Amino acid sequence: MSLQNIMENWSNYRRGAEEGGHHKYEHRWGMAINLDLCIGCNACSTACYAENNLAVVGKSRFAKGQAMHWLRVERYWDESQNKSSSVTPDYPEEGASFLPMMCQQCNSATCEPVCPVAATYHTPDGLNAQVYNRCIGSRYCSNNCPYRNRYFNFFSYYESSWPEPLNLQLNPDLTVRDKGVMEKCTFCVQRIRAAKDKAKMADRKVQDGEFTTACAQACPTGAIVFGDRLDETSKVAKLWQQHEVKLGVYKQHKQNPEKRGYRIFEELNVDPSVMYLERVRDTGI
Amino acid sequence: MEIAVNQYRVDYQRRGEIVRRLALAIMFVVAASLPVVGWSAAADPIPPVGTYDGIDVEQPIEFPHNVHVDVNKINCMYCHTYARRSKVAGIPPTSKCMGCHKIIATDKPRIQKLTEYWQKKQSPPWKKVHDLPDFVHFTHERHLKRFVFDRDYPVEDVKDICAFCHGQIKDMTVAHKVKPLNMGWCKSCHEANGGPGDCWKCHK
């Protein structure tokens, strides 16, 4: 696995997901995000900050685009209905829709093959791993990510991010990243690891709903559903099936408007593990 | 043209037969190897190789592991009780020390020092000897399950399993780091015993 896998399967490494890839999967963690339920409250983002030791970079660095939000809530605005005014305000009063955007854990990820040191690779769990202590900070992965979901530590943010006694809130289950390291959403791999350890101690498989990611846990409307897509009885697998979203497909041919599922940038054939359910609109915009 | 087609058919049939025979052979091999695999899972572990001479870590009280383990035959997991059910083995609470030392060896200077801490309601500031970097996930419980409980290893001899990574603590007073605890060393054992090889299993 891991580095050995990359070395041995290099020629197959970019074999498209439509051909089944080349990985032997234990799990395939995935998500389904119902945009109709998303109210844009940013609880998911806040939960992510708390769970994953995300540094707070401050206003000026945020403006420069150095924010370390692994999960950001993107805002989109409907086109103004009022055609008489030619000027659209920056923040219209209505028509906002939200989209929680985190690492899509692509199954044929663009970030993986460009890493010169194999710090990012595909795990048998279907995740894009990011090994911090291996990362040399070349930032190729970030530049190759179509979603812009990788965040680079340009400074030692930890020095100012958690002044005493806030350092006590740090999660010991994952590293506090230092300068020069790339980081991104891991689907709360520390929780996955803990659940798998617990399951293995009891000689059983991980159950659906046994644990969830911090964002899904914090979502007040339950818009985010997390689970194992290999487990056909899981909530997330059922949602994928219900909305006819399949892995390894880079173009959806769906006529039925009831099937709202889509994956972002599916046409790039990166095979993301996150499915979004389109917002239902009554106005027909 | 027709001959060519027939030729193809014959070839196809023969190939089918070969495939069937191969499948049978593979099934047989797999079936034959199953008990071997089952046996190897419970097989005696091959300990990691390599030693290292760590620096002496000064402890608030010079705790004599040798007296407890070697002379009095106390199980490691009597004091380090969390080892079998959590990631960390744990330093016992002072109350556990006092459970015995209210009565035993109360005249010894070390015990008197301990009793002082106990009366002040403080725990001795023990220092960590076997410390892993923050980017490493290590769990004691999974290792104990694999090397002790899954192979019905006598629990009273658990110190020999602990010794894989901690050395012969029974011959030491305060613990001294005698194994490198670095990645190559961990990997030597993982490779020999079929432990996980995925980066993200241990790196966090």
Side-chain angles (χ1 to χ4, degrees):
Chain A
M1 241 70 74
S2 58
L3 183 61
Q4 204 187 343
N5 188 13
I6 295 171
M7 304 291 267
E8 285 168 8
N9 296 300
W10 182 248
S11 53
N12 286 332
Y13 202 72
R14 285 294 294 149
R15 199 160 89 192
E18 73 276 14
E19 294 169 55
H22 69 280
H23 299 286
K24 286 193 190 84
Y25 288 107
E26 282 172 42
H27 300 278
R28 293 187 100 165
W29 304 111
M31 262 188 197
I33 300 177
N34 191 343
L35 297 183
D36 200 34
L37 290 175
C38 179
I39 52 170
C41 67
N42 271 297
C44 46
S45 192
T46 311
C48 186
Y49 266 84
E51 171 74 20
N52 290 305
N53 299 344
L54 300 192
V56 180
V57 294
K59 212 171 175 179
S60 61
R61 283 173 181 163
F62 196 103
K64 284 180 196 159
Q66 293 179 10
M68 307 299 287
H69 43 21
W70 287 2
L71 195 167
R72 57 177 192 262
V73 178
E74 293 183 344
R75 279 176 304 187
Y76 296 95
W77 304 94
D78 290 340
E79 264 178 61
S80 176
Q81 291 290 291
N82 186 6
K83 299 284 182 199
S84 56
S85 77
S86 54
V87 186
T88 328
D90 281 347
Y91 302 105
E93 280 177 9
E94 54 182 27
S97 54
F98 308 99
L99 186 138
M101 172 55 90
M102 75 286 276
C103 174
Q104 307 285 303
Q105 312 287 353
C106 308
N107 288 296
S108 49
T110 49
C111 53
E112 286 167 10
V114 293
C115 180
V117 293
T120 181
Y121 73 99
H122 218 65
T123 71
D125 283 8
L127 299 172
N128 284 142
Q130 176 69 26
V131 184
Y132 303 124
N133 54 311
R134 196 169 177 88
C135 177
I136 55 165
S138 71
R139 288 181 279 144
Y140 283 123
C141 54
S142 158
N143 288 317
N144 223 26
C145 174
Y147 304 94
R148 285 288 171 268
N149 269 335
R150 287 176 159 269
Y151 303 95
F152 188 66
N153 285 278
F154 283 99
F155 300 95
S156 295
Y157 298 119
Y158 71 90
E159 285 170 354
S160 56
S161 209
W162 301 281
E164 296 236 14
L166 290 183
N167 56 343
L168 297 175
Q169 77 175 11
L170 290 170
N171 186 349
D173 289 339
L174 74 163
T175 322
V176 176
R177 282 80 55 186
D178 200 351
K179 180 163 69 182
V181 169
M182 189 61 73
E183 58 183 70
K184 65 162 195 87
C185 163
T186 59
F187 269 8
C188 289
V189 69
Q190 64 279 8
R191 293 186 178 204
I192 297 177
R193 205 180 278 129
K196 281 172 78 177
D197 273 352
K198 205 174 147 197
K200 281 211 173 128
M201 283 305 288
D203 288 319
R204 60 173 171 85
K205 283 195 154 186
V206 179
Q207 311 282 312
D208 186 45
E210 190 180 333
F211 75 102
T212 189
T213 58
C215 52
Q217 191 184 1
C219 182
T221 60
I224 304 176
V225 176
F226 172 82
D228 184 4
R229 284 166 310 142
L230 278 192
D231 174 9
E232 278 174 21
T233 57
S234 73
K235 220 173 151 191
V236 71
K238 280 181 188 160
L239 274 170
W240 278 60
Q241 209 176 5
Q242 191 189 332
H243 290 276
E244 288 176 7
V245 178
K246 288 188 196 91
L247 280 171
V249 177
Y250 58 93
K251 213 170 181 185
Q252 305 280 339
H253 300 281
K254 280 186 289 192
Q255 309 298 328
N256 187 352
E258 291 287 303
K259 314 279 185 198
R260 297 181 286 130
Y262 71 98
R263 295 185 294 167
I264 297 172
F265 290 156
E266 208 168 28
E267 65 277 14
L268 299 179
N269 200 10
V270 289
D271 206 20
S273 297
V274 182
M275 175 193 76
Y276 290 88
L277 296 179
E278 218 174 313
R279 194 165 73 122
V280 181
R281 296 153 199 256
D282 13 302
T283 48
I285 297 169
Chain B
M1 188 64 192
E2 210 166 336
I3 296 163
V5 169
N6 279 340
Q7 184 88 34
Y8 173 73
R9 274 197 193 128
V10 169
D11 265 352
Y12 185 77
Q13 273 176 354
R14 194 183 290 162
R15 203 186 299 158
E17 204 178 323
I18 290 168
V19 167
R20 231 170 289 136
R21 279 187 187 174
L22 256 176
L24 263 173
I26 289 168
M27 272 165 71
F28 176 75
V29 168
V30 167
S33 66
L34 270 180
V36 177
V37 171
W39 171 81
S40 72
D44 288 345
I46 303 151
V49 282
T51 53
Y52 173 83
D53 193 19
I55 44 162
D56 281 320
V57 180
E58 212 173 301
Q59 303 287 1
I61 300 168
E62 198 198 8
F63 179 84
H65 275 98
N66 50 357
V67 175
H68 290 81
V69 183
D70 205 24
V71 180
N72 292 312
K73 309 280 180 227
I74 299 170
N75 195 298
C76 305
M77 290 193 294
Y78 177 73
C79 300
H80 301 288
T81 178
Y82 312 110
R84 64 180 175 274
R85 48 192 157 97
S86 89
K87 278 167 74 172
V88 290
I91 300 291
T94 319
S95 59
K96 188 158 246 169
C97 309
M98 293 309 289
C100 296
H101 285 296
K102 261 192 175 154
I103 299 158
I104 299 169
T106 43
D107 54 329
K108 303 270 171 65
R110 286 166 184 159
I111 304 302
Q112 278 159 359
K113 204 170 171 191
L114 177 77
T115 316
E116 249 172 65
Y117 278 113
W118 172 247
Q119 279 160 353
K120 279 190 280 179
K121 296 195 181 198
Q122 282 174 355
S123 47
W126 302 112
K127 303 229 173 57
K128 211 168 176 184
V129 178
H130 295 90
D131 198 14
L132 289 175
D134 283 353
F135 50 75
V136 177
H137 163 87
F138 174 86
T139 135
H140 273 89
E141 56 171 358
R142 296 273 299 116
H143 286 83
L144 277 175
K145 184 172 152 62
R146 162 66 180 84
F147 291 130
V148 180
F149 303 116
D150 274 0
R151 47 190 282 261
D152 296 324
Y153 187 82
V155 178
E156 58 272 25
D157 295 337
V158 75
K159 61 179 183 297
D160 299 326
I161 302 294
C162 302
F164 286 0
C165 307
H166 296 288
Q168 291 297 344
I169 295 283
K170 68 175 166 52
D171 301 331
M172 303 175 194
T173 51
V174 291
H176 179 80
K177 192 173 161 185
V178 293
K179 303 282 178 177
L181 304 190
N182 57 20
M183 182 171 146
W185 179 83
C186 291
K187 202 86 178 81
S188 74
C189 185
H190 273 228
E191 274 167 8
N193 298 301
D198 186 46
C199 311
W200 243 12
K201 278 267 159 40
C202 309
H203 285 299
K204 58 181 192 180

